[in-house]
Amino acid sequence: QVQLVESGGGLVQPGGSLRISCAASGSIFSIYAMGWYRQAPGKQRELVATISWGGRTTYADSVKGRFTISRVNANNTVYLEMNSLKPEDTAVYYCNAYIRTTFRDPNLDYWGQGTQVTVSS
């Protein structure tokens, strides 16, 4: 079994900063990549940022220059540093990881339970 546990969400004022984290645990052979997605009320889930285990990053255009994704491989943990937050960043943020549980198995997608980020004055 694999678990992804997010933490760090909350309420922040516009222009503020917040850092959320996600730790993967359980039966993990290797992690190909981890990332963050978000889903606002009434909208589809969208990609925010991803990072490969080699450190290559991708960002949604809407967060480039404001959000930074990073990871600590030894702890199977990924972080999302969010700066200059806007009300439109309000959403449930979900951690995603592309994990292989044994050397025989393919990489599979795993998801966390989500953490709420609310940007409001």
Side-chain angles (χ1 to χ4, degrees):
Q1 295 290 337
V2 173
Q3 288 187 321
L4 300 182
V5 179
E6 300 114 331
S7 60
L11 173 65
V12 63
Q13 292 187 341
S17 299
L18 199 64
R19 188 176 83 156
I20 55 178
S21 62
C22 171
S25 63
S27 180
I28 297 172
F29 177 75
S30 64
I31 300 179
Y32 180 74
M34 294 185 79
W36 292 95
Y37 290 70
R38 67 186 181 187
Q39 187 167 19
K43 294 188 177 181
Q44 289 188 333
R45 190 173 297 190
E46 63 176 2
L47 170 71
V48 177
T50 65
I51 185 166
S52 73
W53 230 237
R56 184 170 56 193
T57 59
T58 61
Y59 294 93
D61 287 343
S62 59
V63 306
K64 281 181 182 176
R66 299 188 299 122
F67 290 11
T68 302
I69 189 170
S70 61
R71 84 279 184 264
V72 176
N73 290 350
N75 297 332
N76 293 334
T77 300
V78 65
Y79 302 93
L80 187 67
E81 183 76 33
M82 302 180 287
N83 298 313
S84 302
L85 282 160
K86 305 174 182 180
E88 51 263 43
D89 294 317
T90 296
V92 178
Y93 284 69
Y94 294 92
C95 178
N96 169 262
Y98 205 39
I99 293 174
R100 179 178 294 183
T101 55
T102 73
F103 75 93
R104 294 186 184 91
D105 293 324
N107 287 301
L108 295 176
D109 268 329
Y110 292 88
W111 293 90
Q113 80 286 355
T115 185
Q116 177 70 46
V117 172
T118 302
V119 185
S120 175
S121 55

